[in-house]
Amino acid sequence: MTTDPRPRPGTAADPRATRRVPAGAAVLREDVTDAIRAAVFEELAAVGFARMSIEGIARRAGVGKTAVYRRWKSKLELVLDLVSAFAAQGLPAPSTGSLYGDVRALLEVASHALRHPVASQVIPDLLVEAARHPEISDAIKTALLDGQRGIAAVIVREAVARGELPEGADADRALDLIVGPLYWRLVVVRGALPQGYLDDLAASAVAALDRS
């Protein structure tokens, strides 16, 4: 009686077994993940968090619902992941060599972000949902407030070192004076920015800080 020396398909001795791709690996491709994340922003802007669904996200991304659920368990978890990823990107603090220049640069960056068509819809909606979901509130605080607060702290610290602001200048107050009016104008009132508005706002913020 002879024995076939060739390994049976699927056994450990079969070289094809070592090349087998684990089930589900293709589903977690980065391009698919990126497509889903982009779809979430678009869906949030279109229908808001309350009406957003995994089905709608999957349809907009051109994938099946399973592809979404394999990455995130719920739409809340998905949104929290996106907000956290946004926070992790961070923005460098401006370093122009003057308080006015730093404040003006921060306003320029903030105005572009707040005027983005998706951000202008998503941020107000998430702020409303933050009142209902503590998790969203914490994530937004980290993404929006903590990041901007860190930038304001650098601006104030360098201005103090240059002698433009007194010791003990309050970074939180600086952030309120710099970004607060801009947020009110673009997100709450939704008004256009007149010519020279950012220049005037920067000068007003610097003057107010100098009197503090």
Side-chain angles (χ1 to χ4, degrees):
M1 181 177 178
T2 59
T3 302
D4 185 353
R6 293 174 298 177
R8 294 189 301 276
T11 64
D14 181 7
R16 290 172 295 181
T18 62
R19 295 194 301 267
R20 184 172 298 163
V21 178
V27 180
L28 301 180
R29 295 196 318 261
E30 278 300 315
D31 59 327
V32 174
T33 302
D34 291 343
I36 294 172
R37 284 177 170 148
V40 173
F41 278 115
E42 294 171 2
E43 195 74 359
L44 276 172
V47 303
F49 180 83
R51 295 174 57 196
M52 186 177 74
S53 66
I54 296 296
E55 290 81 0
I57 293 168
R59 183 167 54 250
R60 191 180 290 271
V63 300
K65 289 190 297 182
T66 303
V68 181
Y69 280 119
R70 287 194 177 184
R71 291 164 171 80
W72 301 279
K73 296 177 182 178
S74 66
K75 70 176 185 179
L76 176 58
E77 185 177 298
L78 207 169
V79 169
L80 292 177
D81 176 64
L82 287 180
V83 174
S84 298
F86 176 79
Q89 292 177 4
L91 290 173
S95 182
T96 66
S98 73
L99 177 57
Y100 173 84
D102 288 350
V103 170
R104 180 62 176 78
L106 177 56
L107 286 171
E108 186 70 33
V109 172
S111 68
H112 278 298
L114 292 175
R115 280 184 289 185
H116 189 282
V118 174
S120 64
Q121 296 292 330
V122 171
I123 292 176
D125 182 67
L126 289 182
L127 288 174
V128 171
E129 293 299 329
R132 306 185 184 100
H133 299 279
E135 303 96 327
I136 292 180
S137 177
D138 292 342
I140 289 178
K141 179 179 179 296
T142 299
L144 299 181
L145 178 58
D146 291 354
Q148 293 295 308
R149 180 179 286 163
I151 292 175
V154 173
I155 291 175
V156 168
R157 184 172 64 248
E158 293 187 353
V160 169
R162 289 190 299 262
E164 294 180 281
L165 289 178
E167 290 286 348
D170 190 342
D172 283 347
R173 183 167 184 270
L175 185 61
D176 291 344
L177 290 170
I178 298 168
V179 182
L182 183 65
Y183 183 87
W184 174 265
R185 181 89 183 212
L186 291 178
V187 179
V188 180
V189 178
R190 293 182 178 273
L193 298 183
Q195 185 72 26
Y197 177 83
L198 295 183
D199 296 332
D200 293 342
L201 183 55
S204 297
V206 169
L209 287 171
D210 189 48
R211 291 194 298 268
S212 60

